[in-house]
Amino acid sequence: MEYPELAARTRRFTRGAPRAVTVAGDGARVLFLRSAGPDDPADALWALEVASGTERLVADPAELLAGTGSGIAGYATDPAGRVAAFGLADRLFRADLRHGDVVEVPVADPVLDPRPDPTGERLAYVSVPPGRDREPGGAQLRVVGPDGTDTLLGGEDGGVGWGLPEFAAVQDFGRTRGYWWAPDGRSVLATRVDESRVPRWHLHDPAEPATPPRSLAYPPAGGPIAEVSLHLLDLDGGWVDVHWDRETYPYLVSVSWTEGGPLITVLRRLQQHGLVLAVDPRTGETQVHAELADPRWVEPVAGTPVHLPDGRVLVGGELAHDGYDARCLFADGTLLTPPSLYVRRVVGLIPTRAGSPDLIVEGSEGEPSQQHLFRVRTAIGGGGIEARRMTADPGWHVGAVGGDVLAIGSASLDQPAVRWTVWRGSGEEVATLRTMAAEPPYAPRPMLDRVTDRRLPAAVLYPRDHVAGRRLPVLLDPDGGPGRQEVRAARSAWLDRQWLADSGFAVVTIDNRGTPGVAPSFEKVVHRRLADVILADQIDALTALAGKHPDLDLDRTAIRGTGFGGWLAALGVLCRPELFRCAIATTPISDWTRHDGACAERYLGLPSDGAEVYAHHSLLDLAADPPRDGEPVRPLLLVHRLADRTVPAAHTLHLSAALLAAGRPHVVLPLPAVDRDTTTAGTLRLELDFLRRHV
């Protein structure tokens, strides 16, 4: 079996590998999902008992619901890690993690996002009408008590839903939840989402004409957005509204509720100003704890804000004065992390002998292609700022923490997959989580570099049988989008690219300005000028790499990308046809006025305030201009996944119509709404055939 088919069959070599790793609050066990092997798509719930270092199967979907083929997509536990709740084939299950019992909890409607209360006695879940997928509209928040009583906490008719995040929360702010238990388990903080004014896309797969179209509330740039409010719901039926200026700050970015009380982060529509608010759970009144401001856009740190055990509030922010250009953490305004550390995410707290716990943080220090775990001191007093790196090997490291136990997932260019190890805070290694995943058939060796005076992260990947002196056509394969990073010291990032390289190309990937990991100024220089900065960076870096790698033949250059990268690929072939011989654009953003509003407005502003900015970034406007005399016209392959939620198919269809009207050659390849990896093999081969014909 060749690589494309093997990658599709194994879900890019992730089936059988541990994922969704969490640690119980007392450190007694590590929980994770894993299927039985590379051919098994159904994940089961597993636990590693830290005291013995042994794994045990908690919930096997094949035993719970034989014959369905469904797996456990996600789970949630109480803080102590005694009870887990999960959905399976739209049904609700509860697992006793100490004694091993797993039971189905009878409910009427399909189940989403079940979560046990902090006592482990009750289960909250979101019920959705059949066929509504994960749409908030019509969703109800319910609680099942110890006696099996199923109680409605929040729900109403129309385009209003309770307990689920809206589109912008998930796609643009990383908030994947819509409700949070109180620490005492007596109430729930829940979102109410009204999408009745938001335009809807209807996603239909022609390959399955009997399947009803999926409806998606999709707020475009400058249009109406979902109205999100927050409410404290008592289990006995009491109700308190959370008060903030929702007209001025319509985006609810994050919510946390620990012993110190609820904390929320809200942003203005243009995301240039935000507030960290403390919520009084008795009255719903809010008090400003911190302000977040940036003339470009505010970028909160994942895992913040949160209360520290001593009552201080941990907030992520940027240090941009006295020569500093850093992404840092502050506790009640006091800097906790050194300016050299680019903080990406707060993992959690780990105890110390001194009393005040330390923070476990994911971040980068000097080399954006690597991510490490750092232990950050929170104690007040002498000693100053202290952030100690915990992961020594080059690579991309992530973590999960509970009690004094830390689980570390490590990926690198030297190992085939993520390796999860479990450690005690004393530095004692407890165990390694077993993997049943298949190993990729080869080990890519990208040559990582920093190029141009902007020190842009870049990589070159040659065929494995390449002989120096043989000139190669170049395939530029970036993403380029803000918040996305492709040049990483992890083998999985290079598997598809190595197969393309082995087919006779030098594959080049560049992280232009706008991508994370370097510094805030590096990210935010693209504000309102994505096209100019990003395309110039890609071309300048490509030219610099050709100076270092003489086997790169820039007279035969193609460009390929998906989503934002698809927009960039089409932009390149339309704006710089003298360099790019052809382009492959998968689900490209053809018109930013039709794109996800929270994303488009963050980087380009409101269409009403900058129509010329949107026109400058529109592929439709570029495609509509007929080629000038003597200008080469380059072929373009447009690929679109019909079920894509982030870039609806209308983007590709409108772009195709504009290209057709201007006489520009192109091919449209629609992909059916099946599992994304199922289409990997055929799509890769079609793309390769297109590249070979035109480069």
Side-chain angles (χ1 to χ4, degrees), residues 543-558:
T543 304
L545 287 168
K548 294 184 172 186
H549 297 264
D551 289 349
L552 270 59
D553 184 357
L554 297 192
D555 289 333
R556 295 182 292 159
T557 300

Side-chain angles (χ1 to χ4, degrees), residues 193-354:
V193 178
D194 184 351
E195 295 179 324
S196 59
R197 297 173 58 244
V198 178
R200 305 192 74 84
W201 289 100
H202 299 280
L203 309 178
H204 181 66
D205 184 2
E208 298 184 10
T211 302
R214 294 166 53 212
S215 178
L216 172 68
Y218 191 87
I225 63 176
E227 296 179 9
V228 181
S229 55
L230 200 57
H231 309 270
L232 290 147
L233 309 177
D234 291 337
L235 299 187
D236 60 7
W239 173 325
V240 174
D241 298 332
V242 176
H243 302 287
W244 81 90
D245 184 353
R246 292 191 291 113
E247 261 189 55
T248 304
Y249 298 92
Y251 288 130
L252 178 65
V253 175
S254 67
V255 179
S256 70
W257 196 351
T258 60
E259 292 293 343
L263 291 170
I264 66 174
T265 303
V266 295
L267 289 180
R268 290 178 182 261
R269 177 154 182 166
L270 288 181
Q271 303 163 55
Q272 294 168 331
H273 192 271
L275 301 174
V276 174
L277 301 174
V279 180
D280 186 330
R282 298 166 301 169
T283 65
E285 297 299 325
T286 57
Q287 182 176 357
V288 177
H289 183 86
E291 292 192 41
L292 309 172
D294 192 298
R296 298 152 301 184
W297 71 85
V298 168
E299 191 80 49
V301 173
T304 67
V306 68
H307 282 284
L308 296 176
D310 60 10
R312 292 179 296 163
V313 174
L314 183 73
V315 176
E318 293 169 3
L319 201 59
H321 56 79
D322 297 332
Y324 291 123
D325 186 12
R327 191 163 159 81
C328 305
L329 294 175
F330 302 84
D332 280 0
T334 300
L335 183 65
L336 293 184
T337 52
S340 59
L341 175 60
Y342 181 99
V343 176
R344 295 177 184 266
R345 183 175 80 98
V346 175
V347 177
L349 293 164
I350 195 164
T352 66
R353 293 179 181 176

Side-chain angles (χ1 to χ4, degrees), residues 112-113 128 132-136 164-165 176 645:
L112 286 176
D113 195 23
V128 292
R132 291 291 296 188
D133 199 21
R134 294 191 65 91
E135 280 288 281
L164 284 184
T176 58
R645 293 171 59 93

Side-chain angles (χ1 to χ4, degrees), residues 528-541:
R528 299 204 176 202
R529 52 193 192 119
L530 293 171
D532 299 331
V533 172
I534 291 176
L535 188 57
D537 278 0
Q538 290 285 332
I539 293 173
D540 290 350

Side-chain angles (χ1 to χ4, degrees), residues 14-17 19 33-36 40-46 59-62 69-74 88:
T14 60
R15 286 177 177 162
R19 70 173 188 87
L33 299 177
R34 185 179 63 203
S35 72
D40 182 11
D43 283 334
L45 179 60
W46 290 78
D60 184 352
S70 298
I72 300 173
L88 183 60

